Amino acid sequence: MISDNFEFLNNKMDELNQGLTALVDAQLKFHRDFKEQEETSLKEREERLETHSKLLKEEQKSRKRRFDAFMKAEETAAQTTIASVLSYKDECLEKDRESKLHKNSET
């Protein structure tokens, strides 16, 4: 009878031990899965940040190219305007000289 009780207790202890082992295994699996999920999430966030950073750099380069092109066009327009004004000034001076020569030749 004592041996039966001892065997019964032994079996219950084995069952308890198996249950605790299963619980610990489940906890370890949960923590591993959680850690893996966090690492994956972190990697995804880092990839998104890296992609966003690259897009921002490309946008900055694009804006700089557009600004440089705009400034070049403005410079060209200013040079054309200056050349036109100088040309007009030369024409006016030439007409003024011709007019003075014509007046001087009449007198």
Side-chain angles (χ1 to χ4, degrees):
M1 173 111 132
I2 293 179
S3 66
D4 289 342
N5 286 340
F6 183 71
E7 190 175 327
F8 175 78
L9 286 175
N10 220 5
N11 288 339
K12 290 299 178 184
M13 291 290 284
D14 285 344
E15 288 177 21
L16 181 61
N17 196 14
Q18 289 173 358
L20 288 173
T21 302
L23 178 63
V24 169
D25 288 345
Q27 285 179 323
L28 287 173
K29 182 180 181 330
F30 171 79
H31 287 291
R32 277 194 301 267
D33 291 348
F34 183 79
K35 183 180 177 185
E36 185 178 305
Q37 186 179 22
E38 284 297 309
E39 289 173 353
T40 300
S41 179
L42 181 62
K43 286 178 186 176
E44 289 171 354
R45 279 186 253 144
E46 287 173 349
E47 289 171 359
R48 284 194 303 270
L49 284 173
E50 187 176 318
T51 300
H52 186 67
S53 177
K54 285 179 184 178
L55 291 173
L56 283 176
K57 286 177 185 176
E58 289 174 12
E59 179 64 24
Q60 286 175 333
K61 287 178 185 177
S62 175
R63 286 182 181 186
K64 184 179 181 336
R65 282 192 300 270
R66 288 194 308 261
F67 179 76
D68 289 347
F70 170 78
M71 291 304 293
K72 182 65 178 170
E74 287 293 313
E75 181 182 352
T76 302
Q79 289 173 349
T80 302
T81 302
I82 291 169
S84 295
V85 169
L86 291 175
S87 176
Y88 179 72
K89 177 185 165 193
D90 289 345
E91 289 175 21
C92 290
L93 289 174
E94 184 62 31
K95 286 181 183 177
D96 189 46
R97 271 191 238 124
E98 288 175 6
S99 173
K100 286 179 182 177
L101 283 175
H102 185 61
K103 283 184 183 177
N104 286 341
S105 64
E106 288 181 355
T107 52

